[in-house]
Amino acid sequence: MRCCYDLHTHSTASDGSLTPGELVIKAASAGIAALALTDHDTVEGLAEAARAAAGAGIALINGIEISVTWNRCTVHIVGLGIDPDHPGLLAGLRKLREYRDWRAEEIGNRLHKAGIPGALEGARRFAGDGLVSRTHFAHFLAETGRAKNVQDVFKRYLVKNKPGHVPGDWASLPEAVGWILGAGGQAVVAHPARYDMTATKLRSMLGEFRELGGTGIEVVSGSHSLDDYQVMARLAGDMKFLASAGSDYHGPNNFRIELGHLPSLPASCTPIWHDWPHRRAA
Ligand code: AMP
Ligand code: MN
Ligand code: MN
Ligand code: MN
């Protein structure tokens, strides 16, 4: 059976390629009953998504994916059911935006020094009205023929020890979880199998996350393999986390799992939505 919940998706407000409205309509026609829009470090797509959802027969969950630096690793924390107008959350996101804008300039400068001019302007062109992310730099670099595709651009230019890499200095884990809980949401660790961490380090991060009030981890994710589902389902069971499911969809040309095709959570999991009012969507 397919899962009717997709609790991790992106729009043009961050690095997705569909507008919030287009995403919601596509999700509804793909049979998704409850969708969370979880743009990177911004709630700016949520109002448009809510307007589209009202007419489309789909439940929209207000979400976010917050960038965190934990022990020099970048970790992504999803917030579900947040109040997008919460002042504490908005103040935190403003701080992250300042860092992100500075980082974009820094990436542009570093690429310039590496013989690639105009990258910041190019990335901004791809970002449009949304924030500038590495994805937009990657689209620009791919367009100018620096690598064969976006994946390849990341490998050659945008990761550690490559010319356009800037070490992350995002929110702390307590800040991110605090902003989400303060805004009335549930905090979920995004794609936990994707981090560059040993199993011990991952457990230590998850332990801290739980101490702070985090309640869930993504078990089914577009960034996870079938093996990862089983490993993360066991970890959720061991550490008493609720399990979430999200495609991490970024748009039609940029997905690993098509909208509406997420598999169900393994039977041992307690879904993060088990006590939500729109549970009947399952
Ligand atoms: P940023 O938050 O600006 O550092 O951008 C992170 C985003 O870049 C992630 O959410 C992904 O969408 C994308 N990304 C990261 N690594 C890769 C990769 N190896 N290939 C393609 N996209 C990637
Ligand atoms: Mn992304
Ligand atoms: Mn992520
Ligand atoms: Mn994501």
Side-chain angles (χ1 to χ4, degrees):
M1 195 188 75
R2 286 205 248 139
C3 182
C4 296
Y5 284 80
D6 188 338
L7 302 180
H8 186 151
T9 61
H10 296 274
S11 76
T12 47
S14 66
D15 60 349
S17 57
L18 298 182
T19 64
E22 288 167 345
L23 173 75
V24 165
I25 300 304
K26 189 169 162 71
S29 53
I32 290 170
L35 176 83
L37 175 61
T38 56
D39 275 309
H40 298 287
D41 307 320
T42 184
V43 293
E44 275 170 23
L46 293 175
E48 182 187 322
R51 283 194 297 277
I58 183 169
L60 178 80
I61 288 104
N62 285 324
I64 188 148
E65 181 176 19
I66 298 183
S67 310
V68 162
T69 303
W70 182 86
N71 278 358
R72 291 191 299 278
C73 295
T74 298
V75 170
H76 286 170
I77 305 296
V78 162
L80 298 174
I82 50 165
D83 167 7
D85 299 318
H86 189 268
L89 173 66
L90 293 177
L93 296 181
R94 270 195 299 276
K95 214 173 69 167
L96 282 185
R97 177 60 75 93
E98 278 171 28
Y99 169 68
R100 186 177 276 283
D101 289 345
W102 172 84
R103 187 193 68 154
E105 288 189 22
E106 189 63 21
I107 294 175
N109 292 339
R110 290 185 191 202
L111 289 172
H112 187 88
K113 280 189 199 130
I116 304 173
L120 177 59
E121 293 67 27
R124 281 194 178 132
R125 186 157 47 73
F126 278 99
D129 295 334
L131 51 73
V132 178
S133 81
R134 283 186 297 159
T135 305
H136 303 113
F137 280 96
H139 284 299
F140 168 73
L141 291 169
E143 181 194 58
T144 52
R146 301 280 172 179
K148 62 177 191 291
N149 57 37
V150 163
Q151 234 88 356
D152 200 32
V153 172
F154 268 91
K155 255 201 299 212
R156 286 160 177 253
Y157 293 100
L158 299 175
V159 296
K160 215 166 165 185
N161 301 321
K162 299 297 169 181
H165 180 253
V166 178
D169 186 16
W170 301 105
S172 70
L173 191 59
E175 282 175 327
V177 176
W179 299 337
I180 291 167
L181 300 190
Q186 283 176 286
V188 173
V189 175
H191 40 68
R194 281 285 64 79
Y195 300 120
D196 192 13
M197 287 182 198
T198 60
T200 312
K201 205 167 163 193
L202 179 63
R203 274 183 179 258
S204 140
M205 190 272 287
L206 292 175
E208 266 182 51
F209 172 72
R210 203 183 38 196
E211 290 285 298
L212 293 164
T215 43
I217 66 171
E218 287 180 351
V219 169
V220 166
S221 160
S223 327
H224 282 176
S225 68
L226 294 178
D227 281 351
D228 293 334
Y229 295 171
Q230 300 311 320
V231 174
M232 291 302 136
R234 262 199 309 277
L235 192 57
D238 284 357
M239 296 190 76
K240 306 275 182 289
F241 279 116
L242 300 171
S244 190
S247 59
D248 209 355
Y249 184 76
H250 281 72
N253 301 318
N254 187 6
F255 62 86
R256 288 175 214 136
I257 290 188
E258 183 50 283
L259 274 183
H261 286 74
L262 268 188
S264 298
L265 286 169
S268 64
C269 293
T270 307
I272 187 102
W273 57 82
H274 76 105
D275 59 355
W276 290 1
H278 24 261
R279 187 181 167 200
R280 63 186 171 280

